[in-house]
Amino acid sequence: AMDAAAAHLVGTHDFAGFSKRHHGRESTVRTVTACRVRAAGPARVRIDIRGDGFLWNMVRIIAGTLLEAGAGRLDPGEMPDVIASRDRTRAGRTLPAEGLCLMWIRYDGDPPAEQLAAEVEDGLDAIIARAALAAMPADQDADADADADADTELVPDDGGGLRDGGA
């Protein structure tokens, strides 16, 4: 029921009913490009939501609304009416922030969202490596480092990090 309700969130909608009152935004129209719910263990779910931007508390309110559908208190077929109403009282409660995790922000020129999602699913190594390269000082001479460390090969370790492969 939760995943069926989540499917109705995909698209461009006015999400005024899924935002904290007095949020200060000129527009409450946002585009949700993907929203999925799946089991993540006993009595746990994972909600993956992707969009072009989110309002204050929007994701927490969406999660609370999907929880209502999962508990049988909201029919998934009612979601289009809840969205169209723009009425905050028709959506679910605002869930606490515990467990909420921003996985990435995609900018123009970044790899497609599907590729980023696959990287997250496969592990964070590629994202961590990309962040480490981006953090390298611009004046650092990578060729000089390569010459100095020619005998060093970095390989993945059991803990998800990198270690000296020659050691």
Side-chain angles (χ1 to χ4, degrees), residues 67-133:
L67 187 66
E68 292 294 309
R73 293 185 290 267
L74 174 68
D75 185 285
E78 293 177 36
M79 281 298 284
D81 292 334
V82 173
I83 296 166
S85 75
R86 303 179 66 232
D87 181 356
R88 176 65 193 92
T89 63
R90 299 246 348 241
R93 64 189 169 106
T94 305
L95 292 185
E98 290 85 13
L100 186 63
C101 177
L102 174 65
M103 297 301 286
W104 73 81
I105 297 173
R106 184 180 176 280
Y107 295 99
D108 290 340
D110 282 351
E114 292 75 21
Q115 180 180 339
L116 291 171
E119 289 176 3
V120 169
E121 289 297 321
D122 292 341
L124 297 175
D125 290 345
I127 293 172
I128 291 167
R130 190 177 312 131
L133 288 174

Side-chain angles (χ1 to χ4, degrees):
M2 293 177 76
D3 201 43
H8 292 288
L9 295 164
V10 176
T12 301
H13 306 286
D14 187 334
F15 284 97
F18 292 83
S19 178
K20 180 180 178 179
R21 291 187 180 147
H22 311 295
H23 50 75
R25 298 289 176 189
E26 289 182 23
S27 173
T28 52
V29 175
R30 298 291 185 271
T31 300
V32 171
T33 56
C35 189
R36 292 185 42 214
V37 181
R38 54 192 156 155
R44 291 182 60 130
V45 296
R46 176 177 169 163
I47 300 171
D48 294 318
I49 185 164
R50 192 179 318 153
D52 67 354
F54 299 99
L55 301 167
W56 190 277
N57 288 346
M58 181 175 159
V59 172
R60 292 170 55 192
I61 295 166
I62 286 173
T65 306
L66 296 176
L67 187 66
E68 292 294 309
R73 293 185 290 267
L74 174 68
D75 185 285
E78 293 177 36
M79 281 298 284
D81 292 334
V82 173
I83 296 166
S85 75
R86 303 179 66 232
D87 181 356
R88 176 65 193 92
T89 63
R90 299 246 348 241
R93 64 189 169 106
T94 305
L95 292 185
E98 290 85 13
L100 186 63
C101 177
L102 174 65
M103 297 301 286
W104 73 81
I105 297 173
R106 184 180 176 280
Y107 295 99
D108 290 340
D110 282 351
E114 292 75 21
Q115 180 180 339
L116 291 171
E119 289 176 3
V120 169
E121 289 297 321
D122 292 341
L124 297 175
D125 290 345
I127 293 172
I128 291 167
R130 190 177 312 131
L133 288 174
M136 185 181 294
D139 63 344
Q140 184 170 345
D141 185 351
D143 290 334
D145 275 351
D147 291 340
D149 297 324
D151 296 332
T152 302
E153 177 186 5
L154 296 179
V155 296
D157 66 17
D158 294 335
L162 297 174
R163 66 174 174 78
D164 183 349

